[in-house]
Amino acid sequence: MDLPALIEALRRVLPERERIALHEPEFGLAERQALLDCLDSGYVSSIGKYVDRFEQELAAYTGASHVVAVVNGTAALHIALKLAGVEQGDEVLMPALSFVATANAATYCGARPHFVDSEFTSLGLDAAAMDEHLRHVAVASKEGWRNRETGAPLAAIVPMHTFGHPVDLDALVALSERWHIPLVEDAAESLGSVYKGRHTGRAGRISALSFNGNKIITTGGGGAILTEDAKLAERARHITTTARVGRGWTFQHDEAGYNYRMPNLNAALGCAQLTRLPAFVEEKRALAARYREALHDVAGLKFVAEPADTCSNYWLCAVLLDEARGSTASASCELRDAVLQATNELGIMTRPAWDLLHTLPMYADCPRAALPVAEALARRLINLPSSPQLGRV
């Protein structure tokens, strides 16, 4: 890999600064005014006009019929899995290449992650590989498909739109329908991404978004549940509000709920950020186009572009290094780390993909398929600085 050429290409794309962050939020007067208005109202917790407004505006942007705003993306995915029917002792099929929250959300339901492979095109779940894996590991029962090796029900499929690139939803929906296993989208990274003309997060019965500080827009901490099902939305709203039932001046609770609703203060920030989302998407796509052009002739790597028939928000731009000479895993990891060290020493913040979930100590014993692509991505992929403001010319 031509490291000097890579650094020169990055210098042509990026501004001259002492340090360039991987992804940082941007706030202006609108955000300040919304927060001050919220503070002046006195409604800063889970009740207030901004919570309702944020849900309505997010529904309008994504096209989802119902939106329930919650405290973070992990909480959103936890509730989405719970409402999809995931229970204690189940297994949830998910990519090994994902942020830890995907696996944690299943764990909160008392279920175990079941890791499957990714594809190079979208970096997300490989439907064909999962289908082959299910033919080997799944056995039919009266209650549905079970893992023949563990006996656990296979309760859900959770694709994640890696770095904002939409996964092959047509293939995964067909897989879900063929195996009668519910599809729950982890759309945490893909606000503003579109698959065949439809916003991500709308392929299954329910999905989750994130508005963490490093996402394309932020509410500080925050997430949302998207669904087309009115009953699921009503149920989500109830259990994320501590299952509270208002009776006059008293409050009763009819089950063990969760204190997961988004505070009005966070929603106020979100409303202001939503007005800037179209511009953020445009700027991030412009940055991706500049990276792609600058890196085109750099030997030994490929810019990770959006899959066909999609419009990615390019939440995090990335390059995929060629396998190191000799094609050994350790050699490729050493090459990746050399690039990371050189760029970070220059103040250009780059980072590798997450540690594969099955390599984490709490998930090391979870069931998994063969993971050749995920393992290759983990040792070869590098994320580049991707803040929207970097895309402004």
Side-chain angles (χ1 to χ4, degrees), residues 76 86 88 92 115 144 206 245 247 335 358:
V86 176
Q88 183 80 28
V92 177
F115 302 119
I206 194 164
V245 181
R247 302 271 174 94
L335 175 60
H358 72 282

Side-chain angles (χ1 to χ4, degrees), residues 292-309:
R292 187 172 187 175
E293 180 180 1
L295 296 167
H296 181 265
D297 295 326
V298 177
L301 59 78
K302 180 180 72 172
F303 180 74
V304 178
E306 64 192 0
D309 298 320

